Amino acid sequence: MHPSPSGAAAPPAHPQPKSPRDLFISFTWLALQGFGGVLAIVQREMVEKKRWLTPEQFLEDWAVAQVMPGPNVINLALMIGDRYFGLRGAIAAVAGMLAIPLVVILVLAVLYAHYAANPQVAAALRGMGAVSGGLIAATGIKLIPQLRKHPLGFATCLAFVALVFGAIALFKMPLGWVLLAVGGVACAWTWRRIAA
């Protein structure tokens, strides 16, 4: 390995988008793949393929995107765009998530209105619901190893996961209240552990 010549810029720690246009195209591609939810696709594209985020950064950013008002993936696009190119990047990333997919959704809405009464269409859409659930579960499972590095420890993180799952899936508690209560406790506890 040859030393780099003096004055040459050091390469970034991990790959980055080249321009706001790159963000726009990348987020458009993400949105067009996101039938039934984009969490799994965002994680695969941003962390595994493009490597714009480390798994830890993705987990932290996704947690923030979850608790902010508005669609999670739009919040995440806004944060990623802002991280690399400020306001221009944030606008480009959000526009990528919305512009072309909006046209596709309008076309699909017209088609759905025309064919909604068809039993085969209804059955196909129910099947897509099962696929979406599998995508979300698979992404959640892929994120679990990152919890090993959490300041609270792996066992405590798994306890929080189980608590949130039980509260929402079993006891049918509203997501907002669960995020406020359990998320608030987890944030405060983590902050105290880091500060100590």
Side-chain angles (χ1 to χ4, degrees), residues 46-116:
M46 296 288 117
V47 176
E48 296 172 13
K49 286 189 174 179
K50 292 186 179 292
R51 295 183 298 145
W52 289 352
L53 298 173
T54 64
E56 294 81 14
Q57 286 174 323
F58 178 77
L59 192 60
E60 290 168 7
D61 287 356
W62 189 256
V64 172
Q66 288 273 86
V67 298
M68 289 170 50
N72 305 337
V73 74
I74 298 294
N75 296 339
L76 185 66
L78 189 70
M79 291 188 304
I80 293 171
D82 180 66
R83 173 179 290 149
Y84 291 114
F85 297 103
L87 181 60
R88 288 184 323 132
I91 291 170
V94 171
M97 289 298 301
L98 298 176
I100 296 174
L102 176 63
V103 174
V104 172
I105 291 297
L106 291 174
V107 170
L108 290 176
V110 169
L111 290 173
Y112 179 74
H114 190 264
Y115 294 105

Short mmCIF file of all heavy atoms in Angstrom, two decimals, residues 46-116:
data_model
loop_
_atom_site.label_atom_id
_atom_site.label_comp_id
_atom_site.label_asym_id
_atom_site.label_seq_id
_atom_site.Cartn_x
_atom_site.Cartn_y
_atom_site.Cartn_z
N MET A 46 -29.50 1.46 1.77
CA MET A 46 -28.66 2.46 2.43
C MET A 46 -27.50 1.85 3.21
O MET A 46 -26.43 2.45 3.30
CB MET A 46 -29.50 3.31 3.40
CG MET A 46 -30.56 4.14 2.73
SD MET A 46 -29.86 5.52 1.81
CE MET A 46 -30.35 5.11 0.16
N VAL A 47 -27.72 0.65 3.78
CA VAL A 47 -26.69 0.04 4.63
C VAL A 47 -25.87 -1.00 3.88
O VAL A 47 -24.65 -0.96 3.89
CB VAL A 47 -27.33 -0.60 5.89
CG1 VAL A 47 -26.29 -1.31 6.73
CG2 VAL A 47 -28.04 0.47 6.71
N GLU A 48 -26.55 -1.92 3.19
CA GLU A 48 -25.85 -3.04 2.59
C GLU A 48 -25.30 -2.74 1.20
O GLU A 48 -24.18 -3.13 0.89
CB GLU A 48 -26.77 -4.26 2.54
CG GLU A 48 -27.16 -4.76 3.92
CD GLU A 48 -28.21 -5.84 3.89
OE1 GLU A 48 -28.49 -6.39 2.79
OE2 GLU A 48 -28.80 -6.12 4.95
N LYS A 49 -26.07 -2.06 0.37
CA LYS A 49 -25.61 -1.81 -1.01
C LYS A 49 -24.80 -0.53 -1.13
O LYS A 49 -23.63 -0.56 -1.49
CB LYS A 49 -26.81 -1.78 -1.96
CG LYS A 49 -27.39 -3.14 -2.24
CD LYS A 49 -28.42 -3.05 -3.35
CE LYS A 49 -28.91 -4.43 -3.73
NZ LYS A 49 -29.92 -4.37 -4.79
N LYS A 50 -25.42 0.60 -0.84
CA LYS A 50 -24.73 1.88 -1.01
C LYS A 50 -23.75 2.18 0.12
O LYS A 50 -22.81 2.92 -0.05
CB LYS A 50 -25.74 3.02 -1.15
CG LYS A 50 -26.53 2.94 -2.43
CD LYS A 50 -27.41 4.15 -2.59
CE LYS A 50 -28.20 4.10 -3.89
NZ LYS A 50 -27.37 4.24 -5.07
N ARG A 51 -24.02 1.63 1.30
CA ARG A 51 -23.20 1.83 2.49
C ARG A 51 -23.08 3.31 2.87
O ARG A 51 -22.05 3.75 3.35
CB ARG A 51 -21.83 1.16 2.34
CG ARG A 51 -21.98 -0.35 2.24
CD ARG A 51 -20.66 -1.05 2.15
NE ARG A 51 -19.96 -0.64 0.95
CZ ARG A 51 -18.64 -0.51 0.89
NH1 ARG A 51 -17.90 -0.77 1.91
NH2 ARG A 51 -18.06 -0.13 -0.24
N TRP A 52 -24.15 4.08 2.64
CA TRP A 52 -24.17 5.47 3.06
C TRP A 52 -24.33 5.57 4.57
O TRP A 52 -24.00 6.60 5.17
CB TRP A 52 -25.31 6.23 2.39
CG TRP A 52 -25.11 6.47 0.93
CD1 TRP A 52 -23.97 6.22 0.20
CD2 TRP A 52 -26.05 7.00 0.01
NE1 TRP A 52 -24.16 6.58 -1.12
CE2 TRP A 52 -25.43 7.05 -1.26
CE3 TRP A 52 -27.35 7.43 0.12
CZ2 TRP A 52 -26.07 7.53 -2.39
CZ3 TRP A 52 -28.01 7.90 -1.00
CH2 TRP A 52 -27.37 7.95 -2.25
N LEU A 53 -24.88 4.53 5.19
CA LEU A 53 -25.06 4.48 6.64
C LEU A 53 -24.48 3.18 7.17
O LEU A 53 -24.58 2.14 6.51
CB LEU A 53 -26.56 4.53 7.00
CG LEU A 53 -27.37 5.75 6.61
CD1 LEU A 53 -28.85 5.51 6.90
CD2 LEU A 53 -26.88 6.98 7.35
N THR A 54 -23.92 3.25 8.35
CA THR A 54 -23.52 2.01 9.02
C THR A 54 -24.78 1.42 9.64
O THR A 54 -25.79 2.12 9.81
CB THR A 54 -22.49 2.31 10.13
OG1 THR A 54 -23.13 3.11 11.14
CG2 THR A 54 -21.26 3.01 9.58
N PRO A 55 -24.75 0.14 10.01
CA PRO A 55 -25.93 -0.43 10.68
C PRO A 55 -26.33 0.34 11.94
O PRO A 55 -27.51 0.51 12.22
CB PRO A 55 -25.50 -1.86 11.00
CG PRO A 55 -24.46 -2.18 9.98
CD PRO A 55 -23.74 -0.89 9.74
N GLU A 56 -25.34 0.81 12.68
CA GLU A 56 -25.63 1.58 13.89
C GLU A 56 -26.30 2.91 13.56
O GLU A 56 -27.27 3.30 14.21
CB GLU A 56 -24.33 1.83 14.68
CG GLU A 56 -23.69 0.60 15.26
CD GLU A 56 -22.85 -0.16 14.24
OE1 GLU A 56 -22.54 0.38 13.15
OE2 GLU A 56 -22.50 -1.33 14.54
N GLN A 57 -25.77 3.61 12.54
CA GLN A 57 -26.38 4.87 12.13
C GLN A 57 -27.81 4.65 11.66
O GLN A 57 -28.70 5.44 11.98
CB GLN A 57 -25.58 5.52 11.00
CG GLN A 57 -24.27 6.13 11.42
CD GLN A 57 -23.46 6.62 10.23
OE1 GLN A 57 -23.46 5.99 9.17
NE2 GLN A 57 -22.77 7.73 10.39
N PHE A 58 -28.03 3.58 10.89
CA PHE A 58 -29.38 3.30 10.40
C PHE A 58 -30.32 3.07 11.57
O PHE A 58 -31.43 3.62 11.60
CB PHE A 58 -29.39 2.08 9.47
CG PHE A 58 -30.77 1.73 9.00
CD1 PHE A 58 -31.38 2.46 8.00
CD2 PHE A 58 -31.46 0.69 9.58
CE1 PHE A 58 -32.66 2.16 7.58
CE2 PHE A 58 -32.74 0.37 9.16
CZ PHE A 58 -33.35 1.11 8.15
N LEU A 59 -29.91 2.29 12.54
CA LEU A 59 -30.76 1.99 13.69
C LEU A 59 -31.09 3.26 14.46
O LEU A 59 -32.25 3.49 14.82
CB LEU A 59 -30.05 0.96 14.59
CG LEU A 59 -30.88 0.32 15.68
CD1 LEU A 59 -32.07 -0.42 15.09
CD2 LEU A 59 -30.02 -0.64 16.49
N GLU A 60 -30.08 4.11 14.68
CA GLU A 60 -30.31 5.36 15.41
C GLU A 60 -31.21 6.30 14.62
O GLU A 60 -32.16 6.89 15.16
CB GLU A 60 -28.98 6.04 15.72
CG GLU A 60 -28.15 5.30 16.75
CD GLU A 60 -26.73 5.81 16.84
OE1 GLU A 60 -26.41 6.84 16.20
OE2 GLU A 60 -25.93 5.17 17.56
N ASP A 61 -30.92 6.46 13.32
CA ASP A 61 -31.73 7.36 12.49
C ASP A 61 -33.16 6.85 12.37
O ASP A 61 -34.11 7.64 12.38
CB ASP A 61 -31.11 7.52 11.10
CG ASP A 61 -29.86 8.38 11.11
OD1 ASP A 61 -29.51 8.92 12.19
OD2 ASP A 61 -29.23 8.52 10.05
N TRP A 62 -33.32 5.54 12.23
CA TRP A 62 -34.67 4.99 12.10
C TRP A 62 -35.46 5.19 13.39
O TRP A 62 -36.65 5.49 13.35
CB TRP A 62 -34.63 3.50 11.72
CG TRP A 62 -35.98 3.00 11.37
CD1 TRP A 62 -36.80 2.22 12.12
CD2 TRP A 62 -36.71 3.27 10.17
NE1 TRP A 62 -37.98 1.99 11.47
CE2 TRP A 62 -37.95 2.62 10.27
CE3 TRP A 62 -36.43 4.01 9.03
CZ2 TRP A 62 -38.90 2.69 9.27
CZ3 TRP A 62 -37.38 4.07 8.03
CH2 TRP A 62 -38.61 3.42 8.16
N ALA A 63 -34.78 5.08 14.54
CA ALA A 63 -35.45 5.31 15.82
C ALA A 63 -35.94 6.75 15.90
O ALA A 63 -37.08 7.00 16.33
CB ALA A 63 -34.50 4.99 16.97
N VAL A 64 -35.12 7.70 15.48
CA VAL A 64 -35.54 9.11 15.49
C VAL A 64 -36.68 9.32 14.50
O VAL A 64 -37.67 9.99 14.80
CB VAL A 64 -34.35 10.04 15.16
CG1 VAL A 64 -34.81 11.48 14.97
CG2 VAL A 64 -33.29 9.95 16.25
N ALA A 65 -36.57 8.73 13.31
CA ALA A 65 -37.63 8.87 12.29
C ALA A 65 -38.95 8.31 12.78
O ALA A 65 -40.02 8.83 12.43
CB ALA A 65 -37.20 8.18 10.99
N GLN A 66 -38.89 7.27 13.61
CA GLN A 66 -40.11 6.64 14.13
C GLN A 66 -40.87 7.57 15.06
O GLN A 66 -42.10 7.54 15.09
CB GLN A 66 -39.76 5.37 14.91
CG GLN A 66 -39.32 4.23 14.06
CD GLN A 66 -40.48 3.42 13.57
OE1 GLN A 66 -41.08 3.73 12.56
NE2 GLN A 66 -40.81 2.38 14.28
N VAL A 67 -40.16 8.33 15.88
CA VAL A 67 -40.84 9.14 16.89
C VAL A 67 -41.19 10.54 16.39
O VAL A 67 -41.93 11.26 17.06
CB VAL A 67 -40.01 9.24 18.20
CG1 VAL A 67 -39.82 7.87 18.81
CG2 VAL A 67 -38.67 9.90 17.97
N MET A 68 -40.68 10.93 15.24
CA MET A 68 -41.04 12.23 14.67
C MET A 68 -42.40 12.13 13.99
O MET A 68 -42.77 11.06 13.51
CB MET A 68 -39.98 12.67 13.64
CG MET A 68 -38.66 13.06 14.27
SD MET A 68 -37.33 13.31 13.07
CE MET A 68 -38.04 14.40 11.88
N PRO A 69 -43.16 13.21 13.97
CA PRO A 69 -44.45 13.15 13.26
C PRO A 69 -44.24 13.00 11.75
O PRO A 69 -43.24 13.47 11.21
CB PRO A 69 -45.11 14.50 13.59
CG PRO A 69 -44.02 15.38 14.07
CD PRO A 69 -42.91 14.50 14.59
N GLY A 70 -45.15 12.34 11.10
CA GLY A 70 -45.07 12.14 9.65
C GLY A 70 -44.58 10.75 9.31
O GLY A 70 -44.23 9.96 10.18
N PRO A 71 -44.58 10.42 8.02
CA PRO A 71 -44.15 9.09 7.58
C PRO A 71 -42.67 8.83 7.91
O PRO A 71 -41.81 9.67 7.64
CB PRO A 71 -44.37 9.12 6.07
CG PRO A 71 -45.31 10.25 5.82
CD PRO A 71 -45.06 11.25 6.91
N ASN A 72 -42.40 7.68 8.47
CA ASN A 72 -41.05 7.34 8.93
C ASN A 72 -40.00 7.48 7.83
O ASN A 72 -38.92 8.02 8.05
CB ASN A 72 -41.00 5.90 9.45
CG ASN A 72 -42.02 5.64 10.52
OD1 ASN A 72 -42.47 6.56 11.18
ND2 ASN A 72 -42.39 4.40 10.71
N VAL A 73 -40.30 6.95 6.67
CA VAL A 73 -39.29 6.93 5.61
C VAL A 73 -39.04 8.33 5.05
O VAL A 73 -37.92 8.65 4.66
CB VAL A 73 -39.68 5.91 4.51
CG1 VAL A 73 -40.81 6.43 3.66
CG2 VAL A 73 -38.47 5.56 3.67
N ILE A 74 -40.04 9.18 5.07
CA ILE A 74 -39.84 10.58 4.66
C ILE A 74 -38.92 11.27 5.67
O ILE A 74 -38.00 12.01 5.30
CB ILE A 74 -41.18 11.32 4.53
CG1 ILE A 74 -42.06 10.68 3.47
CG2 ILE A 74 -40.96 12.80 4.26
CD1 ILE A 74 -41.54 10.80 2.07
N ASN A 75 -39.17 11.01 6.95
CA ASN A 75 -38.31 11.58 7.99
C ASN A 75 -36.87 11.12 7.81
O ASN A 75 -35.93 11.90 7.94
CB ASN A 75 -38.81 11.18 9.38
CG ASN A 75 -40.19 11.74 9.68
OD1 ASN A 75 -40.62 12.70 9.07
ND2 ASN A 75 -40.87 11.14 10.63
N LEU A 76 -36.70 9.84 7.51
CA LEU A 76 -35.35 9.30 7.32
C LEU A 76 -34.68 9.92 6.09
O LEU A 76 -33.50 10.29 6.14
CB LEU A 76 -35.41 7.78 7.18
CG LEU A 76 -34.06 7.07 7.10
CD1 LEU A 76 -33.29 7.22 8.40
CD2 LEU A 76 -34.26 5.61 6.76
N ALA A 77 -35.42 10.03 5.00
CA ALA A 77 -34.88 10.66 3.79
C ALA A 77 -34.45 12.10 4.08
O ALA A 77 -33.37 12.54 3.65
CB ALA A 77 -35.92 10.64 2.67
N LEU A 78 -35.25 12.80 4.83
CA LEU A 78 -34.94 14.19 5.21
C LEU A 78 -33.64 14.25 6.01
O LEU A 78 -32.76 15.08 5.73
CB LEU A 78 -36.10 14.74 6.04
CG LEU A 78 -36.11 16.21 6.38
CD1 LEU A 78 -36.37 17.02 5.12
CD2 LEU A 78 -37.18 16.48 7.40
N MET A 79 -33.47 13.35 6.96
CA MET A 79 -32.26 13.35 7.79
C MET A 79 -31.02 12.98 6.97
O MET A 79 -29.97 13.59 7.13
CB MET A 79 -32.43 12.37 8.97
CG MET A 79 -33.45 12.84 9.98
SD MET A 79 -33.54 11.85 11.49
CE MET A 79 -33.85 10.22 10.90
N ILE A 80 -31.14 11.97 6.11
CA ILE A 80 -29.99 11.56 5.30
C ILE A 80 -29.60 12.66 4.31
O ILE A 80 -28.43 12.99 4.16
CB ILE A 80 -30.29 10.23 4.57
CG1 ILE A 80 -30.41 9.09 5.59
CG2 ILE A 80 -29.19 9.91 3.55
CD1 ILE A 80 -30.90 7.79 5.00
N GLY A 81 -30.59 13.25 3.65
CA GLY A 81 -30.31 14.34 2.72
C GLY A 81 -29.65 15.51 3.40
O GLY A 81 -28.66 16.08 2.90
N ASP A 82 -30.15 15.87 4.58
CA ASP A 82 -29.58 16.99 5.32
C ASP A 82 -28.16 16.68 5.79
O ASP A 82 -27.29 17.55 5.77
CB ASP A 82 -30.46 17.31 6.53
CG ASP A 82 -29.91 18.47 7.34
OD1 ASP A 82 -29.88 19.60 6.83
OD2 ASP A 82 -29.48 18.23 8.50
N ARG A 83 -27.90 15.45 6.18
CA ARG A 83 -26.57 15.07 6.66
C ARG A 83 -25.51 15.32 5.60
O ARG A 83 -24.41 15.77 5.90
CB ARG A 83 -26.58 13.59 7.04
CG ARG A 83 -25.18 13.06 7.40
CD ARG A 83 -25.23 11.61 7.80
NE ARG A 83 -25.90 11.49 9.07
CZ ARG A 83 -26.62 10.45 9.44
NH1 ARG A 83 -26.78 9.43 8.64
NH2 ARG A 83 -27.20 10.42 10.62
N TYR A 84 -25.83 15.03 4.34
CA TYR A 84 -24.81 15.13 3.29
C TYR A 84 -24.79 16.46 2.55
O TYR A 84 -23.73 16.92 2.15
CB TYR A 84 -24.97 13.98 2.30
CG TYR A 84 -24.63 12.64 2.91
CD1 TYR A 84 -25.59 11.67 3.11
CD2 TYR A 84 -23.33 12.37 3.33
CE1 TYR A 84 -25.27 10.45 3.69
CE2 TYR A 84 -23.00 11.15 3.90
CZ TYR A 84 -23.97 10.20 4.08
OH TYR A 84 -23.65 9.01 4.66
N PHE A 85 -25.96 17.08 2.33
CA PHE A 85 -25.99 18.30 1.52
C PHE A 85 -26.86 19.40 2.10
O PHE A 85 -27.30 20.30 1.38
CB PHE A 85 -26.47 17.98 0.09
CG PHE A 85 -25.55 17.06 -0.65
CD1 PHE A 85 -25.87 15.72 -0.81
CD2 PHE A 85 -24.35 17.52 -1.16
CE1 PHE A 85 -25.02 14.86 -1.49
CE2 PHE A 85 -23.49 16.66 -1.83
CZ PHE A 85 -23.82 15.33 -1.99
N GLY A 86 -27.15 19.32 3.39
CA GLY A 86 -27.94 20.36 4.02
C GLY A 86 -29.36 20.44 3.46
O GLY A 86 -29.95 19.41 3.10
N LEU A 87 -29.87 21.65 3.37
CA LEU A 87 -31.26 21.84 2.92
C LEU A 87 -31.47 21.32 1.50
O LEU A 87 -32.48 20.68 1.21
CB LEU A 87 -31.63 23.33 3.00
CG LEU A 87 -33.05 23.68 2.59
CD1 LEU A 87 -34.08 22.95 3.47
CD2 LEU A 87 -33.27 25.18 2.65
N ARG A 88 -30.51 21.55 0.60
CA ARG A 88 -30.65 21.04 -0.78
C ARG A 88 -30.75 19.53 -0.80
O ARG A 88 -31.56 18.95 -1.53
CB ARG A 88 -29.45 21.47 -1.63
CG ARG A 88 -29.42 22.92 -1.99
CD ARG A 88 -28.27 23.28 -2.93
NE ARG A 88 -27.05 22.55 -2.66
CZ ARG A 88 -26.32 21.94 -3.60
NH1 ARG A 88 -26.69 21.98 -4.85
NH2 ARG A 88 -25.20 21.31 -3.29
N GLY A 89 -29.96 18.86 0.02
CA GLY A 89 -30.01 17.41 0.08
C GLY A 89 -31.31 16.91 0.67
O GLY A 89 -31.89 15.92 0.19
N ALA A 90 -31.79 17.59 1.71
CA ALA A 90 -33.06 17.19 2.33
C ALA A 90 -34.20 17.31 1.33
O ALA A 90 -35.04 16.40 1.20
CB ALA A 90 -33.33 18.05 3.56
N ILE A 91 -34.23 18.42 0.59
CA ILE A 91 -35.29 18.61 -0.41
C ILE A 91 -35.18 17.57 -1.53
O ILE A 91 -36.18 16.99 -1.95
CB ILE A 91 -35.24 20.05 -0.98
CG1 ILE A 91 -35.66 21.04 0.10
CG2 ILE A 91 -36.13 20.18 -2.21
CD1 ILE A 91 -35.41 22.49 -0.25
N ALA A 92 -33.96 17.30 -1.97
CA ALA A 92 -33.77 16.32 -3.05
C ALA A 92 -34.20 14.93 -2.62
O ALA A 92 -34.87 14.21 -3.38
CB ALA A 92 -32.30 16.30 -3.48
N ALA A 93 -33.84 14.52 -1.40
CA ALA A 93 -34.20 13.18 -0.92
C ALA A 93 -35.71 13.04 -0.77
O ALA A 93 -36.30 12.03 -1.20
CB ALA A 93 -33.49 12.89 0.40
N VAL A 94 -36.35 14.05 -0.18
CA VAL A 94 -37.81 13.98 0.00
C VAL A 94 -38.52 14.04 -1.35
O VAL A 94 -39.49 13.31 -1.59
CB VAL A 94 -38.30 15.10 0.94
CG1 VAL A 94 -39.82 15.17 0.97
CG2 VAL A 94 -37.76 14.85 2.35
N ALA A 95 -38.04 14.88 -2.26
CA ALA A 95 -38.64 14.93 -3.61
C ALA A 95 -38.50 13.59 -4.31
O ALA A 95 -39.43 13.13 -4.99
CB ALA A 95 -37.98 16.03 -4.43
N GLY A 96 -37.37 12.92 -4.12
CA GLY A 96 -37.19 11.60 -4.70
C GLY A 96 -38.19 10.59 -4.16
O GLY A 96 -38.69 9.73 -4.88
N MET A 97 -38.49 10.71 -2.86
CA MET A 97 -39.46 9.80 -2.25
C MET A 97 -40.88 10.06 -2.74
O MET A 97 -41.71 9.16 -2.69
CB MET A 97 -39.44 9.95 -0.72
CG MET A 97 -38.22 9.41 -0.03
SD MET A 97 -37.96 7.64 -0.23
CE MET A 97 -39.44 6.94 0.44
N LEU A 98 -41.16 11.28 -3.20
CA LEU A 98 -42.55 11.65 -3.48
C LEU A 98 -42.90 11.85 -4.96
O LEU A 98 -44.01 11.53 -5.36
CB LEU A 98 -42.90 12.92 -2.71
CG LEU A 98 -42.83 12.82 -1.19
CD1 LEU A 98 -43.11 14.18 -0.57
CD2 LEU A 98 -43.78 11.77 -0.66
N ALA A 99 -42.00 12.40 -5.76
CA ALA A 99 -42.37 12.87 -7.10
C ALA A 99 -42.87 11.76 -8.02
O ALA A 99 -44.06 11.71 -8.36
CB ALA A 99 -41.19 13.60 -7.73
N ILE A 100 -42.00 10.89 -8.45
CA ILE A 100 -42.41 9.83 -9.40
C ILE A 100 -43.34 8.82 -8.74
O ILE A 100 -44.33 8.41 -9.35
CB ILE A 100 -41.16 9.18 -10.03
CG1 ILE A 100 -40.44 10.24 -10.87
CG2 ILE A 100 -41.55 7.97 -10.88
CD1 ILE A 100 -39.13 9.81 -11.45
N PRO A 101 -43.09 8.43 -7.47
CA PRO A 101 -44.04 7.52 -6.83
C PRO A 101 -45.47 8.08 -6.77
O PRO A 101 -46.44 7.32 -6.84
CB PRO A 101 -43.46 7.32 -5.44
CG PRO A 101 -42.00 7.48 -5.64
CD PRO A 101 -41.88 8.58 -6.67
N LEU A 102 -45.61 9.41 -6.66
CA LEU A 102 -46.94 10.00 -6.65
C LEU A 102 -47.67 9.72 -7.96
O LEU A 102 -48.86 9.37 -7.97
CB LEU A 102 -46.85 11.52 -6.41
CG LEU A 102 -48.18 12.27 -6.47
CD1 LEU A 102 -49.11 11.80 -5.38
CD2 LEU A 102 -47.93 13.76 -6.36
N VAL A 103 -46.97 9.85 -9.08
CA VAL A 103 -47.57 9.56 -10.38
C VAL A 103 -47.98 8.08 -10.45
O VAL A 103 -49.09 7.75 -10.89
CB VAL A 103 -46.59 9.91 -11.52
CG1 VAL A 103 -47.13 9.47 -12.87
CG2 VAL A 103 -46.29 11.40 -11.51
N VAL A 104 -47.10 7.20 -9.98
CA VAL A 104 -47.42 5.77 -9.98
C VAL A 104 -48.64 5.48 -9.13
O VAL A 104 -49.53 4.72 -9.53
CB VAL A 104 -46.19 4.95 -9.49
CG1 VAL A 104 -46.55 3.48 -9.31
CG2 VAL A 104 -45.03 5.10 -10.47
N ILE A 105 -48.72 6.10 -7.95
CA ILE A 105 -49.86 5.88 -7.05
C ILE A 105 -51.16 6.36 -7.69
O ILE A 105 -52.20 5.70 -7.58
CB ILE A 105 -49.63 6.61 -5.71
CG1 ILE A 105 -48.51 5.94 -4.94
CG2 ILE A 105 -50.88 6.66 -4.87
CD1 ILE A 105 -48.78 4.51 -4.54
N LEU A 106 -51.12 7.50 -8.36
CA LEU A 106 -52.33 8.01 -9.01
C LEU A 106 -52.79 7.05 -10.10
O LEU A 106 -53.99 6.77 -10.23
CB LEU A 106 -52.08 9.40 -9.58
CG LEU A 106 -51.89 10.51 -8.54
CD1 LEU A 106 -51.51 11.82 -9.21
CD2 LEU A 106 -53.14 10.68 -7.70
N VAL A 107 -51.86 6.52 -10.89
CA VAL A 107 -52.22 5.55 -11.93
C VAL A 107 -52.79 4.29 -11.30
O VAL A 107 -53.83 3.75 -11.74
CB VAL A 107 -51.00 5.22 -12.82
CG1 VAL A 107 -51.28 4.04 -13.74
CG2 VAL A 107 -50.60 6.45 -13.63
N LEU A 108 -52.15 3.79 -10.24
CA LEU A 108 -52.64 2.59 -9.56
C LEU A 108 -54.00 2.82 -8.92
O LEU A 108 -54.84 1.91 -8.89
CB LEU A 108 -51.63 2.12 -8.51
CG LEU A 108 -50.33 1.54 -9.05
CD1 LEU A 108 -49.37 1.21 -7.91
CD2 LEU A 108 -50.59 0.30 -9.90
N ALA A 109 -54.24 4.02 -8.40
CA ALA A 109 -55.55 4.33 -7.80
C ALA A 109 -56.65 4.27 -8.84
O ALA A 109 -57.74 3.74 -8.58
CB ALA A 109 -55.51 5.70 -7.13
N VAL A 110 -56.36 4.78 -10.04
CA VAL A 110 -57.35 4.72 -11.12
C VAL A 110 -57.61 3.26 -11.50
O VAL A 110 -58.76 2.84 -11.66
CB VAL A 110 -56.88 5.54 -12.34
CG1 VAL A 110 -57.75 5.28 -13.55
CG2 VAL A 110 -56.86 7.02 -11.99
N LEU A 111 -56.55 2.48 -11.63
CA LEU A 111 -56.71 1.06 -11.97
C LEU A 111 -57.45 0.30 -10.87
O LEU A 111 -58.32 -0.53 -11.15
CB LEU A 111 -55.35 0.41 -12.22
CG LEU A 111 -54.62 0.85 -13.49
CD1 LEU A 111 -53.22 0.27 -13.52
CD2 LEU A 111 -55.41 0.43 -14.73
N TYR A 112 -57.13 0.59 -9.62
CA TYR A 112 -57.80 -0.09 -8.51
C TYR A 112 -59.28 0.25 -8.49
O TYR A 112 -60.12 -0.64 -8.27
CB TYR A 112 -57.15 0.30 -7.18
CG TYR A 112 -57.82 -0.35 -6.00
CD1 TYR A 112 -57.64 -1.70 -5.75
CD2 TYR A 112 -58.65 0.37 -5.16
CE1 TYR A 112 -58.26 -2.32 -4.68
CE2 TYR A 112 -59.29 -0.22 -4.10
CZ TYR A 112 -59.08 -1.58 -3.85
OH TYR A 112 -59.73 -2.17 -2.80
N ALA A 113 -59.62 1.52 -8.71
CA ALA A 113 -61.03 1.91 -8.73
C ALA A 113 -61.78 1.16 -9.82
O ALA A 113 -62.95 0.81 -9.66
CB ALA A 113 -61.16 3.41 -8.94
N HIS A 114 -61.10 0.87 -10.91
CA HIS A 114 -61.74 0.17 -12.03
C HIS A 114 -61.88 -1.33 -11.77
O HIS A 114 -62.86 -1.95 -12.16
CB HIS A 114 -60.92 0.42 -13.30
CG HIS A 114 -61.61 -0.05 -14.54
ND1 HIS A 114 -61.35 -1.27 -15.11
CD2 HIS A 114 -62.55 0.54 -15.32
CE1 HIS A 114 -62.11 -1.43 -16.19
NE2 HIS A 114 -62.83 -0.33 -16.34
N TYR A 115 -60.88 -1.93 -11.09
CA TYR A 115 -60.86 -3.39 -10.92
C TYR A 115 -61.07 -3.86 -9.48
O TYR A 115 -60.91 -5.05 -9.19
CB TYR A 115 -59.52 -3.96 -11.41
CG TYR A 115 -59.32 -3.80 -12.89
CD1 TYR A 115 -58.45 -2.83 -13.39
CD2 TYR A 115 -60.00 -4.61 -13.80
CE1 TYR A 115 -58.26 -2.67 -14.75
CE2 TYR A 115 -59.82 -4.45 -15.16
CZ TYR A 115 -58.95 -3.49 -15.63
OH TYR A 115 -58.77 -3.33 -16.99
N ALA A 116 -61.44 -2.97 -8.56
CA ALA A 116 -61.53 -3.33 -7.14
C ALA A 116 -62.54 -4.45 -6.87
O ALA A 116 -62.36 -5.25 -5.96
CB ALA A 116 -61.89 -2.10 -6.31
#
